[in-house]
Amino acid sequence: SYVRSSLVCAEHIAIPRGLRAYGANSADALSSYGVVHGMVYPLIFFPSSILASFASLLIPELSAAAATDNKRKIVSVTGKVMKSCLVFSFLTSGIFIAFASFFGLSIYDSHEAGKYIAMIAPLIPVMYLDTSVDFMLKGLGQQLYTMGVNIADAFLSLILVLVLVPRFGLMGYIAAVYILEIFNCALSLGRLVKITGVRPMTGWIIRPLISVLLACATVRAISLSPVICISVPVRLTMTVTLAALLMRICGAVRKSDILYIKNVIKRAKS
């Protein structure tokens, strides 16, 4: 924890310095850094609290299955968590991309925040999946491995910031975020697949992705009609509702998945 905190602290010091080296003055460097870390990140990660709560409820179940060497149970729980995470994260990502300007202006009164929300939102499925996988690895007794990955992530992050930010400014930092999130998720997911034997299916990605794309495109086409005038909150509600309906139709979300989530919440309450 001390090692990782030290590396993260060094990274946070290096980012404004790198932005100044790129050519931005001190005020602009700190302002851009503040928009991403103080505005965009809290908003991007806010929905993940729901997913993290759901994943944390399953840690005792995974630990019990691991203690009894119940491999079938481990594979079943792991698959359901990954599938639920991808459905939720693709929906969240699509909403943030489609309504980035609306969120930036309505919450922060900032066009710049909306621009960076749209840039980082495509990475949400990777971010949320990495969070869920880390929870499951901890439930399976892989805390030492996740600690090593997090330290390696922090070290690589510092290196990329020192190399990319002075050359490319804030775009270099966003590129570093993409590289690091994919790197971290790949290592964690690879470890989870190795120790559990779960096999992620392409349908877990393709079905929710297509459903969200169709919902966003349909609502956008309706909103562009000169005859129909729809407010942004109504368009947002329509997009979420249509995406959920399409996921249910195409099988991205099945009745068994809904019942499983309800049972998990019911057990947690009792």
Side-chain angles (χ1 to χ4, degrees):
S1 179
Y2 289 145
V3 171
R4 188 173 187 278
S5 297
S6 300
L7 290 169
V8 171
C9 180
E11 177 195 345
H12 288 177
I13 293 172
I15 292 171
R17 290 185 177 181
L19 291 172
R20 288 197 296 270
Y22 174 69
N25 59 47
S26 298
D28 290 340
L30 290 174
S31 174
S32 299
Y33 180 60
V35 168
V36 173
H37 273 267
M39 297 181 180
V40 177
Y41 275 178
L43 186 62
I44 289 289
F45 282 107
F46 177 72
S48 69
S49 59
I50 300 172
L51 197 61
S53 300
F54 171 68
S56 65
L57 292 176
L58 295 172
I59 289 181
E61 191 171 355
L62 273 176
S63 299
T68 57
D69 199 26
N70 190 342
K71 293 184 178 179
R72 177 178 288 184
K73 183 71 171 179
I74 292 173
V75 171
S76 175
V77 172
T78 302
K80 288 183 184 299
V81 173
M82 290 176 61
K83 184 179 177 182
S84 302
C85 171
L86 290 169
V87 167
F88 181 80
S89 61
F90 274 114
L91 177 59
T92 305
S93 177
I95 293 300
F96 276 127
I97 294 171
F99 298 93
S101 298
F102 169 72
F103 286 123
L105 290 173
S106 61
I107 297 175
Y108 300 118
D109 194 24
S110 169
H111 288 284
E112 189 179 14
K115 179 181 73 173
Y116 290 128
I117 289 171
M119 287 183 183
I120 298 175
L123 196 59
I124 285 177
V126 178
M127 291 176 167
Y128 287 13
L129 181 62
D130 182 48
T131 300
S132 298
V133 168
D134 279 353
F135 271 109
M136 289 187 283
L137 286 174
K138 290 174 183 177
L140 294 169
Q142 297 292 314
Q143 294 92 335
L144 189 63
Y145 180 83
T146 56
M147 180 191 70
V149 170
N150 287 333
I151 290 176
D153 175 85
F155 179 74
L156 182 59
S157 177
L158 177 60
I159 299 299
L160 288 176
V161 163
L162 291 173
V163 172
L164 296 178
V165 175
R167 293 185 178 184
F168 304 104
L170 204 57
M171 294 301 101
Y173 172 67
I174 292 176
V177 170
Y178 268 79
I179 294 169
L180 292 165
E181 288 292 342
I182 294 171
F183 167 78
N184 198 325
C185 186
L187 289 180
S188 299
L189 185 59
R191 182 68 172 182
L192 184 68
V193 170
K194 181 180 179 179
I195 65 174
T196 63
V198 66
R199 294 185 177 181
M201 299 181 181
T202 55
W204 295 355
I205 296 174
I206 295 174
R207 289 174 180 173
L209 176 60
I210 292 176
S211 298
V212 172
L213 288 175
L214 285 175
C216 292
T218 301
V219 174
R220 179 173 176 79
I222 294 172
S223 65
L224 290 176
S225 172
V227 180
I228 305 173
C229 183
I230 307 174
S231 65
V232 177
V234 173
R235 294 208 308 266
L236 176 58
T237 304
M238 288 173 60
T239 303
V240 173
T241 304
L242 183 57
L245 181 61
L246 289 172
M247 286 183 188
R248 187 73 180 88
I249 292 172
C250 73
V253 178
R254 301 179 186 276
K255 187 177 180 179
S256 59
D257 300 324
I258 299 172
L259 291 175
Y260 179 77
I261 294 172
K262 287 182 178 180
N263 289 332
V264 169
I265 296 172
K266 189 181 294 184
R267 289 199 302 269
K269 287 181 179 180
S270 60

